[in-house]
């Protein structure tokens, strides 16, 4: 478990104990956002770009964007904590390191196996929540799913994208996706005899990943370049084999 750090509210001087958030990297290792010692910044206005920080996984070296740590004080003040962000890779190092970290930093995607031949995937840069859905739709088309369409009224089902033989959900929030969302999407896919695919910006809770493995539901995480990365075996198989009819 991550070690708590003291945080003092700049408005009322009340001291809090803050535990840095831990997220699941695409490689499966836990990634704790590294909090720096020092003064915190009062958050008066939030933008999409400022809500994310770049952190590198110590296990696989992948550099990804994760939710910016924030703390709300009972006085009503919200503060943003300083983070030791990972610098962007230089071109020379990218050429020599390769691997998942290089793919995440450059927007490239590992080439599929010989089972399915595809051109290079061109990601859609994410600036808004709507861009996340667009990026997921583009990726599914790249995988071979045709006629993908956005579900404008997603409230009844939670499904964001639909196509022949596929339903997909996209979680653009800064919280890890929970098990209930995974199970609900699986049930929708089951009722429609369709493949269910989940995309998340902040990753998945551990129990959600375990449940997805049991249900054989592909899970992907996205960075702000709009490049999905597989986080379980069903997702790897989907990349390798494409849609069932391929």
């Amino acid at each position: 478990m991550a070690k708590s750090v003291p945080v003092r509210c700049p408005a009322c001087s009340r001291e809090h104990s803050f535990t840095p958030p831990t997220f699941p990297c695409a490689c499966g290792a836990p990634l704790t956002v590294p909090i720096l010692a020092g003064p915190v910044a009062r958050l008066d206005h939030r933008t999409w770009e400022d809500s994310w920080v770049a952190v590198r996984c110590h296990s696989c070296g992948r550099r990804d964007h994760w939710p910016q740590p924030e703390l709300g004080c009972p006085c009503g003040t919200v503060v943003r904590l300083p983070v030791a962000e990972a610098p962007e890779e230089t071109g020379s190092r990218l050429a020599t390191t390769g691997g998942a970290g290089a793919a995440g930093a450059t927007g490239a995607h590992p080439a599929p196996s010989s089972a399915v031949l595809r051109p290079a995937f061109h990601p859609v840069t994410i600036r808004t929540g709507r861009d996340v859905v667009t990026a997921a739709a583009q990726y599914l088309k790249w995988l071979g799913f045709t006629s993908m369409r956005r579900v404008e009224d997603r409230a009844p089902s939670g499904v964001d994208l639909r196509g022949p033989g596929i339903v997909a959900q996209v979680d653009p929030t800064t919280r890890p996706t929970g098990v209930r969302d995974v199970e609900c999407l699986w049930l929708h896919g089951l009722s429609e005899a369709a493949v269910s695919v989940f995309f998340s910006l902040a990753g998945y809770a551990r129990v959600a990943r375990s449940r997805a493995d049991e249900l054989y539901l592909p899970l992907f995480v996205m960075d702000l370049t709009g490049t999905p990365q597989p986080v379980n075996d069903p997702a790897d198989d989907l990349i390798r084999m494409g849609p069932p009819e391929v």
Side-chain angles (χ1 to χ4, degrees):
M1 183 176 180
K3 184 178 180 180
S4 298
V5 296
V7 177
R8 186 176 298 278
C9 175
C12 68
S13 298
R14 184 177 306 182
E15 188 168 283
H16 304 274
S17 179
F18 180 80
T19 302
T22 298
F23 302 101
C25 177
C27 72
L31 181 149
T32 300
V33 177
I35 305 296
L36 290 173
V40 298
R42 182 168 178 165
L43 181 61
D44 297 316
H45 177 69
R46 182 182 286 106
T47 65
W48 179 269
E49 291 80 4
D50 292 341
S51 297
W52 304 89
V53 290
V55 179
R56 191 175 305 284
C57 176
H58 291 293
S59 295
C60 69
R62 173 182 169 85
R63 178 181 182 271
D64 256 337
H65 288 83
W66 299 97
Q68 166 75 51
E70 299 174 0
L71 182 145
C73 180
C75 75
T77 302
V78 178
V79 297
R80 176 171 287 160
L81 282 74
V83 174
E85 291 200 58
E88 190 171 357
E89 295 275 16
T90 62
S92 58
R93 184 174 177 183
L94 283 174
T96 58
T97 56
T106 61
H109 195 286
S113 72
S114 57
V116 177
L117 297 178
R118 305 185 186 98
F121 175 66
H122 299 289
V124 176
T125 301
I126 294 173
R127 296 184 177 88
T128 67
R130 192 173 179 85
D131 290 339
V132 187
V133 181
T134 299
Q138 292 294 101
Y139 187 76
L140 290 172
K141 291 177 182 177
W142 179 78
L143 286 178
F145 292 97
T146 59
S147 304
M148 296 302 306
R149 66 183 187 279
R150 186 189 301 263
V151 178
E152 297 299 336
D153 183 13
R154 72 184 295 270
S157 65
V159 173
D160 295 287
L161 294 167
R162 191 184 301 275
I166 184 171
V167 291
Q169 187 168 340
V170 182
D171 185 354
T173 68
T174 57
R175 299 180 303 274
T177 300
V179 65
R180 183 177 180 275
D181 290 328
V182 168
E183 291 179 336
C184 287
L185 179 63
W186 177 78
L187 287 173
H188 284 298
L190 185 66
S191 66
E192 299 182 25
V195 175
S196 301
V197 183
F198 215 116
F199 296 88
S200 176
L201 268 180
Y204 302 87
R206 181 173 299 179
V207 64
R209 290 189 58 176
S210 298
R211 188 63 174 143
D213 289 342
E214 294 172 0
L215 300 174
Y216 202 74
L217 192 152
L219 301 180
F220 292 87
V221 292
M222 282 188 176
D223 56 27
L224 295 187
T225 67
T227 305
Q229 296 290 340
V231 299
N232 62 357
D233 288 341
D236 284 328
D237 291 342
L238 188 63
I239 294 173
R240 183 169 60 252
M241 303 304 297
E245 66 271 19
V246 172

